[in-house]
Amino acid sequence: MRAQAGMSALVFPKVVLFDLDGTLLDSAPDMLATVNHMRAARGHGPMALEALRPHVSKGSRAMSAAAFPELGGEVPPEMIREFLDVYAQVLGRHSVLFEGVPALLDAIEAAGSRWGIVTNKPEYLARQVLPGLGWEDRCAILIGGDTLPQRKPHPLPLLHAVAELGVGIGDCAYVGDDQRDIDAARAAGMPSVVALWGYRLPGDDPQAWGADALAEAVHDLLQPTLWSALR
């Protein structure tokens, strides 16, 4: 059920931009199916979800390196292509929205605000996610990691989103679970929120990333006090 339309438009910025994997979507199970397909093809046993999950927000190279530690972090380009090809075949089969995401997006729309996605996932893969979630006509903008010459942590994707949507930097906020998300927002001059429910390595310290706010769970983003602190 959609949130009540009487919810004050002042609760949210005019536009809320989100990272995708680890922020809106728990895609780790799809990623696990991908690396385990690759491992099986090489005669390896399956990798455990809890071992892969911290690496998901770091991208295909980091996940491949975690799945094949014998490479010593040196992942050849052909393995990245293989990862993306396999992932395209399993995309959406196992992933789910994080708890509270549907209600959050409903509330943003009911308040008269818009939301969009700025991800480092290749755009063609990110766009394949939208139909299964019913987001094709709801997502105001989608920018992938290969949409522009630069990707996060460079601020260009966020600056481009603002320009395309015709709003000011101060009228937006960016929510993400990785330091690159916060670095990009800070470089763009955009208020930012760390999604603490997402994917992080053991040594990551979100408190040190310089975000304007930290949210423990998705429902924290329904609190007016969080957004008022960003103004």
Side-chain angles (χ1 to χ4, degrees), residues 103-156:
L104 172 63
L105 300 183
D106 286 350
I108 291 172
E109 293 170 359
S113 295
R114 293 179 288 171
W115 60 271
I117 295 170
V118 179
T119 174
N120 274 358
K121 182 195 291 291
E123 182 179 339
Y124 78 97
L125 291 173
R127 290 204 177 276
Q128 289 181 41
V129 172
L130 300 187
L133 299 171
W135 286 357
E136 309 102 303
D137 298 324
R138 297 179 63 186
C139 182
I141 193 166
L142 187 151
I143 297 175
D146 56 356
T147 305
L148 301 166
Q150 301 287 346
R151 57 193 289 175
K152 302 176 296 182
H154 197 281
L156 179 62

Short mmCIF file of all heavy atoms in Angstrom, two decimals, residues 103-156:
data_model
loop_
_atom_site.label_atom_id
_atom_site.label_comp_id
_atom_site.label_asym_id
_atom_site.label_seq_id
_atom_site.Cartn_x
_atom_site.Cartn_y
_atom_site.Cartn_z
N ALA A 103 8.12 0.68 1.14
CA ALA A 103 7.43 1.72 1.90
C ALA A 103 8.16 3.05 1.80
O ALA A 103 7.53 4.12 1.74
CB ALA A 103 7.30 1.30 3.37
N LEU A 104 9.49 3.01 1.79
CA LEU A 104 10.27 4.24 1.68
C LEU A 104 10.03 4.92 0.34
O LEU A 104 9.78 6.13 0.28
CB LEU A 104 11.76 3.94 1.85
CG LEU A 104 12.71 5.10 1.57
CD1 LEU A 104 12.48 6.25 2.56
CD2 LEU A 104 14.17 4.64 1.62
N LEU A 105 10.09 4.17 -0.75
CA LEU A 105 9.89 4.77 -2.07
C LEU A 105 8.46 5.29 -2.22
O LEU A 105 8.24 6.35 -2.82
CB LEU A 105 10.21 3.74 -3.16
CG LEU A 105 11.65 3.20 -3.15
CD1 LEU A 105 11.85 2.25 -4.33
CD2 LEU A 105 12.67 4.31 -3.17
N ASP A 106 7.49 4.56 -1.67
CA ASP A 106 6.11 5.04 -1.67
C ASP A 106 6.01 6.37 -0.94
O ASP A 106 5.31 7.30 -1.40
CB ASP A 106 5.20 4.02 -0.99
CG ASP A 106 4.94 2.78 -1.84
OD1 ASP A 106 5.32 2.77 -3.04
OD2 ASP A 106 4.37 1.81 -1.29
N ALA A 107 6.68 6.48 0.20
CA ALA A 107 6.60 7.69 1.01
C ALA A 107 7.25 8.88 0.30
O ALA A 107 6.74 10.00 0.36
CB ALA A 107 7.27 7.47 2.36
N ILE A 108 8.36 8.63 -0.37
CA ILE A 108 9.02 9.71 -1.12
C ILE A 108 8.09 10.25 -2.20
O ILE A 108 7.93 11.46 -2.36
CB ILE A 108 10.34 9.19 -1.74
CG1 ILE A 108 11.37 8.92 -0.63
CG2 ILE A 108 10.90 10.21 -2.74
CD1 ILE A 108 12.63 8.22 -1.12
N GLU A 109 7.46 9.34 -2.93
CA GLU A 109 6.55 9.76 -3.99
C GLU A 109 5.31 10.44 -3.42
O GLU A 109 4.83 11.45 -3.97
CB GLU A 109 6.16 8.55 -4.82
CG GLU A 109 7.32 7.96 -5.61
CD GLU A 109 6.98 6.62 -6.25
OE1 GLU A 109 5.83 6.15 -6.07
OE2 GLU A 109 7.85 6.05 -6.93
N ALA A 110 4.76 9.91 -2.33
CA ALA A 110 3.57 10.49 -1.72
C ALA A 110 3.84 11.90 -1.21
O ALA A 110 2.92 12.73 -1.15
CB ALA A 110 3.08 9.60 -0.57
N ALA A 111 5.09 12.18 -0.85
CA ALA A 111 5.46 13.50 -0.36
C ALA A 111 5.71 14.49 -1.49
O ALA A 111 6.03 15.65 -1.25
CB ALA A 111 6.70 13.39 0.53
N GLY A 112 5.59 14.02 -2.73
CA GLY A 112 5.80 14.90 -3.86
C GLY A 112 7.25 14.99 -4.30
O GLY A 112 7.59 15.83 -5.15
N SER A 113 8.11 14.16 -3.77
CA SER A 113 9.51 14.14 -4.15
C SER A 113 9.75 13.04 -5.19
O SER A 113 8.87 12.23 -5.46
CB SER A 113 10.40 13.92 -2.93
OG SER A 113 10.30 15.01 -2.02
N ARG A 114 10.95 13.03 -5.75
CA ARG A 114 11.32 12.01 -6.73
C ARG A 114 12.53 11.24 -6.21
O ARG A 114 13.23 11.68 -5.30
CB ARG A 114 11.67 12.66 -8.07
CG ARG A 114 10.51 13.30 -8.77
CD ARG A 114 10.93 13.95 -10.09
NE ARG A 114 11.70 15.17 -9.86
CZ ARG A 114 12.33 15.84 -10.82
NH1 ARG A 114 12.29 15.40 -12.08
NH2 ARG A 114 12.99 16.95 -10.55
N TRP A 115 12.76 10.07 -6.79
CA TRP A 115 13.92 9.28 -6.42
C TRP A 115 14.55 8.69 -7.68
O TRP A 115 13.90 8.50 -8.71
CB TRP A 115 13.56 8.16 -5.43
CG TRP A 115 12.55 7.17 -5.94
CD1 TRP A 115 11.19 7.24 -5.85
CD2 TRP A 115 12.84 5.94 -6.63
NE1 TRP A 115 10.61 6.15 -6.44
CE2 TRP A 115 11.59 5.33 -6.94
CE3 TRP A 115 14.01 5.29 -7.01
CZ2 TRP A 115 11.50 4.10 -7.59
CZ3 TRP A 115 13.92 4.08 -7.68
CH2 TRP A 115 12.68 3.50 -7.96
N GLY A 116 15.86 8.43 -7.59
CA GLY A 116 16.58 7.86 -8.71
C GLY A 116 17.74 7.01 -8.22
O GLY A 116 17.99 6.89 -7.02
N ILE A 117 18.44 6.41 -9.18
CA ILE A 117 19.52 5.47 -8.87
C ILE A 117 20.80 5.92 -9.55
O ILE A 117 20.80 6.20 -10.76
CB ILE A 117 19.15 4.05 -9.33
CG1 ILE A 117 17.96 3.52 -8.53
CG2 ILE A 117 20.35 3.11 -9.20
CD1 ILE A 117 17.37 2.22 -9.08
N VAL A 118 21.87 5.99 -8.79
CA VAL A 118 23.22 6.23 -9.32
C VAL A 118 24.09 5.10 -8.81
O VAL A 118 24.38 5.02 -7.61
CB VAL A 118 23.77 7.59 -8.89
CG1 VAL A 118 25.19 7.79 -9.45
CG2 VAL A 118 22.87 8.72 -9.37
N THR A 119 24.47 4.20 -9.68
CA THR A 119 25.18 2.98 -9.31
C THR A 119 26.44 2.82 -10.15
O THR A 119 26.54 3.40 -11.23
CB THR A 119 24.27 1.75 -9.51
OG1 THR A 119 24.99 0.54 -9.27
CG2 THR A 119 23.72 1.70 -10.92
N ASN A 120 27.37 2.04 -9.66
CA ASN A 120 28.55 1.70 -10.47
C ASN A 120 28.32 0.42 -11.27
O ASN A 120 29.19 0.01 -12.04
CB ASN A 120 29.79 1.54 -9.58
CG ASN A 120 30.48 2.87 -9.33
OD1 ASN A 120 30.07 3.91 -9.85
ND2 ASN A 120 31.55 2.87 -8.53
N LYS A 121 27.18 -0.22 -11.10
CA LYS A 121 26.83 -1.37 -11.93
C LYS A 121 26.69 -0.90 -13.38
O LYS A 121 26.16 0.19 -13.62
CB LYS A 121 25.50 -1.98 -11.43
CG LYS A 121 25.05 -3.23 -12.18
CD LYS A 121 23.60 -3.55 -11.90
CE LYS A 121 23.36 -4.01 -10.48
NZ LYS A 121 23.94 -5.34 -10.20
N PRO A 122 27.15 -1.67 -14.35
CA PRO A 122 26.94 -1.27 -15.75
C PRO A 122 25.47 -0.94 -16.00
O PRO A 122 24.57 -1.63 -15.52
CB PRO A 122 27.39 -2.51 -16.54
CG PRO A 122 28.41 -3.16 -15.65
CD PRO A 122 27.91 -2.94 -14.25
N GLU A 123 25.25 0.11 -16.77
CA GLU A 123 23.88 0.60 -16.95
C GLU A 123 22.95 -0.47 -17.53
O GLU A 123 21.79 -0.60 -17.11
CB GLU A 123 23.86 1.83 -17.85
CG GLU A 123 22.47 2.41 -18.02
CD GLU A 123 22.43 3.64 -18.89
OE1 GLU A 123 23.48 4.31 -19.06
OE2 GLU A 123 21.34 3.95 -19.43
N TYR A 124 23.44 -1.26 -18.49
CA TYR A 124 22.56 -2.24 -19.11
C TYR A 124 22.08 -3.28 -18.11
O TYR A 124 20.95 -3.79 -18.21
CB TYR A 124 23.25 -2.90 -20.31
CG TYR A 124 24.27 -3.98 -19.98
CD1 TYR A 124 23.94 -5.33 -20.00
CD2 TYR A 124 25.59 -3.63 -19.65
CE1 TYR A 124 24.88 -6.31 -19.71
CE2 TYR A 124 26.53 -4.60 -19.36
CZ TYR A 124 26.17 -5.94 -19.38
OH TYR A 124 27.10 -6.90 -19.08
N LEU A 125 22.92 -3.61 -17.12
CA LEU A 125 22.51 -4.55 -16.08
C LEU A 125 21.56 -3.89 -15.09
O LEU A 125 20.57 -4.50 -14.66
CB LEU A 125 23.74 -5.10 -15.36
CG LEU A 125 24.63 -6.04 -16.16
CD1 LEU A 125 25.89 -6.38 -15.39
CD2 LEU A 125 23.88 -7.31 -16.53
N ALA A 126 21.85 -2.65 -14.72
CA ALA A 126 20.97 -1.95 -13.78
C ALA A 126 19.58 -1.80 -14.38
O ALA A 126 18.57 -1.95 -13.67
CB ALA A 126 21.56 -0.59 -13.43
N ARG A 127 19.50 -1.50 -15.68
CA ARG A 127 18.19 -1.31 -16.31
C ARG A 127 17.40 -2.62 -16.36
O ARG A 127 16.16 -2.60 -16.34
CB ARG A 127 18.35 -0.74 -17.72
CG ARG A 127 18.82 0.70 -17.70
CD ARG A 127 18.45 1.48 -18.94
NE ARG A 127 18.89 2.87 -18.77
CZ ARG A 127 18.19 3.79 -18.14
NH1 ARG A 127 17.00 3.48 -17.63
NH2 ARG A 127 18.65 5.02 -18.02
N GLN A 128 18.10 -3.74 -16.41
CA GLN A 128 17.40 -5.02 -16.41
C GLN A 128 16.74 -5.32 -15.06
O GLN A 128 15.82 -6.15 -14.99
CB GLN A 128 18.38 -6.14 -16.75
CG GLN A 128 18.82 -6.14 -18.20
CD GLN A 128 19.78 -7.28 -18.50
OE1 GLN A 128 19.59 -8.40 -18.03
NE2 GLN A 128 20.81 -7.00 -19.29
N VAL A 129 17.19 -4.65 -14.01
CA VAL A 129 16.61 -4.86 -12.68
C VAL A 129 15.24 -4.20 -12.58
O VAL A 129 14.33 -4.71 -11.90
CB VAL A 129 17.56 -4.29 -11.60
CG1 VAL A 129 16.89 -4.31 -10.22
CG2 VAL A 129 18.87 -5.08 -11.56
N LEU A 130 15.06 -3.05 -13.24
CA LEU A 130 13.88 -2.22 -13.02
C LEU A 130 12.55 -2.90 -13.34
O LEU A 130 11.61 -2.81 -12.54
CB LEU A 130 13.99 -0.92 -13.81
CG LEU A 130 15.19 -0.02 -13.49
CD1 LEU A 130 15.07 1.31 -14.24
CD2 LEU A 130 15.33 0.23 -12.00
N PRO A 131 12.40 -3.60 -14.49
CA PRO A 131 11.08 -4.16 -14.79
C PRO A 131 10.56 -5.14 -13.75
O PRO A 131 9.36 -5.12 -13.42
CB PRO A 131 11.31 -4.85 -16.15
CG PRO A 131 12.46 -4.13 -16.75
CD PRO A 131 13.35 -3.79 -15.59
N GLY A 132 11.43 -5.98 -13.23
CA GLY A 132 10.99 -6.96 -12.25
C GLY A 132 10.51 -6.36 -10.95
O GLY A 132 9.78 -6.98 -10.18
N LEU A 133 10.92 -5.10 -10.72
CA LEU A 133 10.52 -4.40 -9.50
C LEU A 133 9.40 -3.40 -9.75
O LEU A 133 8.92 -2.77 -8.81
CB LEU A 133 11.74 -3.66 -8.90
CG LEU A 133 12.91 -4.55 -8.51
CD1 LEU A 133 14.12 -3.70 -8.14
CD2 LEU A 133 12.54 -5.46 -7.34
N GLY A 134 9.00 -3.26 -11.00
CA GLY A 134 7.98 -2.29 -11.34
C GLY A 134 8.45 -0.86 -11.23
O GLY A 134 7.65 0.05 -10.94
N TRP A 135 9.73 -0.64 -11.48
CA TRP A 135 10.32 0.68 -11.28
C TRP A 135 10.55 1.45 -12.57
O TRP A 135 11.04 2.58 -12.52
CB TRP A 135 11.67 0.53 -10.56
CG TRP A 135 11.56 0.20 -9.12
CD1 TRP A 135 10.43 0.06 -8.37
CD2 TRP A 135 12.65 -0.06 -8.22
NE1 TRP A 135 10.75 -0.27 -7.07
CE2 TRP A 135 12.10 -0.35 -6.95
CE3 TRP A 135 14.05 -0.08 -8.38
CZ2 TRP A 135 12.89 -0.64 -5.84
CZ3 TRP A 135 14.83 -0.38 -7.28
CH2 TRP A 135 14.27 -0.65 -6.01
N GLU A 136 10.22 0.89 -13.72
CA GLU A 136 10.55 1.57 -14.99
C GLU A 136 9.99 2.99 -15.04
O GLU A 136 10.67 3.91 -15.51
CB GLU A 136 10.02 0.81 -16.20
CG GLU A 136 10.38 -0.67 -16.24
CD GLU A 136 9.22 -1.53 -15.82
OE1 GLU A 136 8.70 -1.34 -14.70
OE2 GLU A 136 8.81 -2.38 -16.63
N ASP A 137 8.77 3.18 -14.57
CA ASP A 137 8.11 4.49 -14.65
C ASP A 137 8.21 5.26 -13.34
O ASP A 137 7.72 6.40 -13.26
CB ASP A 137 6.63 4.32 -15.03
CG ASP A 137 6.47 3.67 -16.40
OD1 ASP A 137 7.29 3.96 -17.29
OD2 ASP A 137 5.53 2.87 -16.57
N ARG A 138 8.83 4.68 -12.35
CA ARG A 138 8.92 5.35 -11.05
C ARG A 138 10.30 5.96 -10.82
O ARG A 138 10.40 7.02 -10.20
CB ARG A 138 8.60 4.35 -9.93
CG ARG A 138 7.20 3.79 -9.98
CD ARG A 138 6.96 2.80 -8.86
NE ARG A 138 7.06 3.43 -7.55
CZ ARG A 138 7.01 2.77 -6.39
NH1 ARG A 138 6.88 1.44 -6.40
NH2 ARG A 138 7.11 3.41 -5.25
N CYS A 139 11.32 5.31 -11.30
CA CYS A 139 12.69 5.79 -11.11
C CYS A 139 12.92 7.01 -12.00
O CYS A 139 12.85 6.91 -13.23
CB CYS A 139 13.66 4.67 -11.45
SG CYS A 139 15.40 5.09 -11.22
N ALA A 140 13.19 8.16 -11.40
CA ALA A 140 13.30 9.41 -12.16
C ALA A 140 14.53 9.44 -13.03
O ALA A 140 14.54 10.09 -14.09
CB ALA A 140 13.30 10.60 -11.20
N ILE A 141 15.60 8.78 -12.62
CA ILE A 141 16.83 8.74 -13.40
C ILE A 141 17.65 7.53 -12.97
O ILE A 141 17.61 7.13 -11.80
CB ILE A 141 17.67 10.04 -13.22
CG1 ILE A 141 18.78 10.14 -14.28
CG2 ILE A 141 18.21 10.16 -11.81
CD1 ILE A 141 19.41 11.50 -14.37
N LEU A 142 18.34 6.94 -13.93
CA LEU A 142 19.24 5.83 -13.62
C LEU A 142 20.56 6.09 -14.33
O LEU A 142 20.59 6.24 -15.55
CB LEU A 142 18.66 4.49 -14.06
CG LEU A 142 19.47 3.25 -13.61
CD1 LEU A 142 18.56 2.05 -13.45
CD2 LEU A 142 20.58 2.91 -14.60
N ILE A 143 21.62 6.14 -13.56
CA ILE A 143 22.96 6.34 -14.10
C ILE A 143 23.82 5.16 -13.65
O ILE A 143 23.90 4.86 -12.45
CB ILE A 143 23.58 7.67 -13.62
CG1 ILE A 143 22.73 8.83 -14.14
CG2 ILE A 143 25.02 7.80 -14.09
CD1 ILE A 143 23.18 10.17 -13.63
N GLY A 144 24.41 4.48 -14.62
CA GLY A 144 25.26 3.34 -14.31
C GLY A 144 26.73 3.71 -14.29
O GLY A 144 27.12 4.84 -14.59
N GLY A 145 27.55 2.72 -13.98
CA GLY A 145 28.97 2.96 -13.89
C GLY A 145 29.65 3.26 -15.21
O GLY A 145 30.76 3.80 -15.24
N ASP A 146 28.97 2.92 -16.31
CA ASP A 146 29.54 3.18 -17.64
C ASP A 146 28.71 4.18 -18.44
O ASP A 146 28.93 4.37 -19.64
CB ASP A 146 29.66 1.88 -18.43
CG ASP A 146 28.35 1.12 -18.54
OD1 ASP A 146 27.34 1.57 -17.94
OD2 ASP A 146 28.31 0.09 -19.22
N THR A 147 27.77 4.86 -17.79
CA THR A 147 26.94 5.84 -18.47
C THR A 147 27.75 7.06 -18.90
O THR A 147 27.53 7.63 -19.97
CB THR A 147 25.78 6.29 -17.57
OG1 THR A 147 25.03 5.14 -17.14
CG2 THR A 147 24.86 7.26 -18.27
N LEU A 148 28.69 7.46 -18.05
CA LEU A 148 29.48 8.67 -18.23
C LEU A 148 30.96 8.32 -18.24
O LEU A 148 31.35 7.20 -17.89
CB LEU A 148 29.16 9.65 -17.09
CG LEU A 148 27.69 10.06 -16.96
CD1 LEU A 148 27.45 10.75 -15.63
CD2 LEU A 148 27.30 10.98 -18.12
N PRO A 149 31.82 9.27 -18.60
CA PRO A 149 33.27 9.00 -18.61
C PRO A 149 33.84 8.68 -17.24
O PRO A 149 34.90 8.05 -17.13
CB PRO A 149 33.87 10.29 -19.18
CG PRO A 149 32.77 10.93 -19.94
CD PRO A 149 31.52 10.58 -19.21
N GLN A 150 33.18 9.13 -16.17
CA GLN A 150 33.64 8.88 -14.81
C GLN A 150 32.56 8.16 -14.02
O GLN A 150 31.37 8.31 -14.29
CB GLN A 150 34.01 10.20 -14.11
CG GLN A 150 35.08 11.01 -14.81
CD GLN A 150 36.45 10.41 -14.66
OE1 GLN A 150 36.67 9.52 -13.83
NE2 GLN A 150 37.40 10.88 -15.45
N ARG A 151 33.00 7.44 -13.02
CA ARG A 151 32.08 6.74 -12.12
C ARG A 151 32.44 7.10 -10.69
O ARG A 151 33.48 7.71 -10.42
CB ARG A 151 32.17 5.22 -12.33
CG ARG A 151 33.58 4.67 -12.13
CD ARG A 151 33.71 3.26 -12.63
NE ARG A 151 33.00 2.31 -11.80
CZ ARG A 151 32.88 1.02 -12.07
NH1 ARG A 151 33.44 0.52 -13.18
NH2 ARG A 151 32.24 0.21 -11.26
N LYS A 152 31.57 6.77 -9.75
CA LYS A 152 31.89 7.02 -8.34
C LYS A 152 33.21 6.33 -7.96
O LYS A 152 33.45 5.22 -8.44
CB LYS A 152 30.76 6.48 -7.43
CG LYS A 152 29.39 7.05 -7.68
CD LYS A 152 28.35 6.37 -6.79
CE LYS A 152 28.19 4.90 -7.10
NZ LYS A 152 27.16 4.21 -6.31
N PRO A 153 34.05 7.00 -7.19
CA PRO A 153 33.81 8.15 -6.32
C PRO A 153 33.90 9.52 -6.99
O PRO A 153 33.85 10.54 -6.30
CB PRO A 153 34.91 8.01 -5.26
CG PRO A 153 36.04 7.39 -6.01
CD PRO A 153 35.39 6.41 -6.95
N HIS A 154 34.06 9.59 -8.30
CA HIS A 154 34.05 10.88 -8.99
C HIS A 154 32.63 11.48 -8.85
O HIS A 154 31.64 10.75 -8.91
CB HIS A 154 34.40 10.69 -10.47
CG HIS A 154 34.79 11.94 -11.16
ND1 HIS A 154 33.86 12.86 -11.59
CD2 HIS A 154 36.01 12.46 -11.48
CE1 HIS A 154 34.48 13.87 -12.17
NE2 HIS A 154 35.79 13.66 -12.12
N PRO A 155 32.53 12.78 -8.69
CA PRO A 155 31.20 13.39 -8.50
C PRO A 155 30.37 13.50 -9.76
O PRO A 155 29.17 13.80 -9.69
CB PRO A 155 31.54 14.78 -7.96
CG PRO A 155 32.89 15.10 -8.54
CD PRO A 155 33.61 13.77 -8.54
N LEU A 156 30.95 13.26 -10.95
CA LEU A 156 30.23 13.49 -12.21
C LEU A 156 28.86 12.81 -12.27
O LEU A 156 27.89 13.45 -12.71
CB LEU A 156 31.10 13.07 -13.40
CG LEU A 156 30.45 13.25 -14.78
CD1 LEU A 156 30.14 14.72 -15.04
CD2 LEU A 156 31.35 12.69 -15.87
#
